Amino acid sequence: MNKLYKLVAAIAIALVLTGCEEAAQPEQRFSAVDITGGAWGKNFQLIDHDGQPKTLADFKDKAVVLSFGYTNCPDMCPMTMYKLATAVQQLGNDANRVQVLFVTLDPMRDTREILKQYVPAFHPTFLGMIGDEQTIDATAKEFKVFYKHQKPDASGFYTVDHMGPSFIFDPQGRLRLFISDEHSADAIAKDLRTLLKG
Amino acid sequence: MKWMNEGNLLKRVRPADAINTNRFLKAANRSITVMVALGLLSMPIHAATTSGTEKTSPSGAAQSVAITNAWARATVPGQPVGAVYMTIKSRDNLTLVHAETKAARQVQVHSMRLREGVMQMREQGQLSLAAGSTTELAPGGMHLMLIGLQQPLQAGSAISVKLTFVDKGKRQTTSMISVPVRPIGP
């Protein structure tokens, strides 16, 4: 994680120093890690928990928060989802301009039916996203989210090592922010407001 | 609880332990306390329900474990797992060999750690409790993992968890604890 932060910070500094077009825009300050300019992750293609294929283009004019996890995760994943729900609730009427997507890293166990119960329980607008194993693997790799399924125990239960970051796209579909467990709901809400202002 | 301060036991308690014990007593009075004694079951339970007054307790080889601050986080529909946290203070060398609850198909001792941004969770099997030790089962670390929840854990409710300990002499004792369910959130 530290390496990633350093890399992100280095890229951000490089962008400022080289006076690229981003630096010419009005200054925006974020609590989350600013990864503006990252060209990856824009082409994800997943199925939502209602069975509808979705890409970033389906959430035009909305800020999109992409979070990774799995439902057999007892603590970190529900806490992240709770935090995102708290942040979205703080936005009032702007909440409908934000789409949170929970991408399962465990497509074998997390069926559409399970995600349809789990994800909206945190906030009714949240969508659970699935894909086949190859698609999930490719999506996680695209976002540089490490995950690894552990060996099942005698009862067949297994855990999934994983990173717990979320990524935020602005309403123009540009990848902008990286949030981790250290960023609070208040900070995320503030950052989302800034992104929605444009 | 006062058995900690008394009789022949006192001779073995260092001052620092005594201070910790007092803190522990205060915490215990606020929360669920379960005393388990091998062979002398009635004594600690009596003591556990008594606070603030000095009682004479039997001396001897009673082996005890005190569980405080037990809690579980509420879960949402579709979430098949939950986590139970607690503080376990063991007076003797004990091993937590088994845990079960009607709320879930299976209970395992799991460790959790964040390593270079990756959350890793592993089954620990049995949990060894050294004599005089305090073991914290807390978010981000060790916890009892409830696998196959029968239904979501509702904030404000409580679940019963049965814990089985074994001492060095292979003597086994069980303890039922009531675990209150707290809302999701910090």
Side-chain angles (χ1 to χ4, degrees):
Chain A
M1 187 64 85
N2 284 337
K3 281 180 187 167
L4 183 54
Y5 280 133
K6 280 176 190 162
L7 177 65
V8 167
I11 292 168
I13 291 165
L15 288 174
V16 171
L17 291 179
T18 53
C20 72
E21 59 174 345
E22 300 298 338
Q25 290 182 355
E27 192 181 11
Q28 291 177 323
R29 289 183 185 278
F30 298 104
S31 299
V33 182
D34 191 338
I35 52 171
T36 300
W40 34 280
K42 291 178 180 170
N43 300 317
F44 68 82
Q45 293 187 318
L46 298 161
I47 312 286
D48 73 17
H49 65 226
D50 291 317
Q52 301 300 313
K54 288 284 195 298
T55 67
L56 193 58
D58 290 304
F59 307 107
K60 198 168 176 292
D61 300 328
K62 288 186 177 186
V64 173
V65 184
L66 202 68
S67 189
F68 292 84
Y70 70 116
T71 66
N72 274 277
C73 169
D75 201 85
M76 186 172 164
C77 306
M79 290 305 288
T80 300
M81 293 301 283
Y82 177 83
K83 187 169 74 175
L84 292 176
T86 306
V88 167
Q89 278 161 8
Q90 288 180 18
L91 297 176
N93 289 338
D94 278 341
N96 58 16
R97 295 181 61 208
V98 175
Q99 179 63 58
V100 173
L101 305 176
F102 176 84
V103 183
T104 180
L105 293 169
D106 189 11
M108 291 288 280
R109 285 184 298 192
D110 289 345
T111 62
R112 205 155 56 74
E113 290 70 26
I114 287 173
L115 289 181
K116 192 170 180 170
Q117 289 182 66
Y118 179 84
V119 181
F122 294 96
H123 192 282
T125 64
F126 288 9
L127 281 173
M129 306 298 281
I130 59 168
D132 58 31
E133 286 176 73
Q134 290 80 5
T135 304
I136 292 297
D137 195 51
T139 307
K141 280 200 171 76
E142 176 74 12
F143 283 90
K144 299 162 184 68
V145 172
F146 172 85
Y147 75 108
K148 189 176 191 323
H149 289 209
Q150 296 302 303
K151 281 185 187 162
D153 64 18
S155 68
F157 182 80
Y158 59 90
T159 60
V160 181
D161 290 0
H162 70 103
M163 288 176 151
S166 304
F167 299 87
I168 306 184
F169 292 87
D170 67 18
Q172 289 75 44
R174 295 174 300 192
L175 185 58
R176 300 296 300 274
L177 301 174
F178 170 91
I179 51 182
S180 72
D181 55 347
E182 69 191 51
H183 299 114
S184 68
D186 291 355
I188 295 166
K190 192 161 167 282
D191 284 355
L192 283 170
R193 270 197 205 96
T194 304
L195 283 181
L196 291 174
K197 278 180 196 158
Chain B
M1 291 299 290
K2 289 295 177 187
W3 55 266
M4 281 279 195
N5 293 337
E6 291 165 7
N8 56 0
L9 196 66
L10 188 59
K11 292 167 192 158
R12 307 207 307 258
V13 176
R14 291 173 290 132
D17 289 337
I19 291 164
N20 288 338
T21 301
N22 285 335
R23 276 194 204 140
F24 176 60
L25 285 171
K26 283 177 191 166
N29 288 338
R30 290 196 303 266
S31 59
I32 299 145
T33 305
V34 176
M35 307 301 303
V36 178
L38 294 173
L40 287 166
L41 198 61
S42 61
M43 177 276 290
I45 283 178
H46 171 71
T49 54
T50 307
S51 61
T53 54
E54 291 293 324
K55 293 275 179 187
T56 303
S57 59
S59 60
Q63 298 187 355
S64 309
V65 57
I67 297 163
T68 54
N69 301 322
W71 64 283
R73 211 191 296 282
T75 64
V76 299
Q79 184 179 336
V81 295
V84 172
Y85 308 106
M86 65 187 72
T87 302
I88 307 176
K89 197 175 173 84
S90 180
R91 207 187 74 181
D92 300 289
N93 288 311
L94 291 175
T95 305
L96 173 63
V97 292
H98 185 73
E100 62 184 68
T101 175
K102 285 179 181 164
R105 191 178 68 239
Q106 197 186 354
V107 183
Q108 296 179 351
V109 179
H110 276 223
S111 66
M112 212 184 323
R113 66 172 182 169
L114 196 60
R115 193 177 186 189
E116 294 184 357
V118 178
M119 184 56 86
Q120 300 178 333
M121 194 162 64
R122 296 288 182 273
E123 188 187 354
Q124 292 298 296
Q126 301 180 338
L127 182 63
S128 293
L129 308 163
S133 69
T134 299
T135 304
E136 296 283 353
L137 275 58
M142 206 83 86
H143 58 277
L144 295 186
M145 178 87 168
L146 308 182
I147 295 169
L149 286 177
Q150 303 298 335
Q151 55 188 25
L153 301 179
Q154 301 273 2
S157 70
I159 58 168
S160 294
V161 179
K162 185 178 168 187
L163 304 172
T164 304
F165 300 92
V166 167
D167 71 1
K168 292 287 183 194
K170 307 284 182 197
R171 282 180 297 182
Q172 184 174 305
T173 188
T174 59
S175 167
M176 285 293 289
I177 60 168
S178 176
V179 179
V181 180
R182 293 185 192 168
I184 305 174

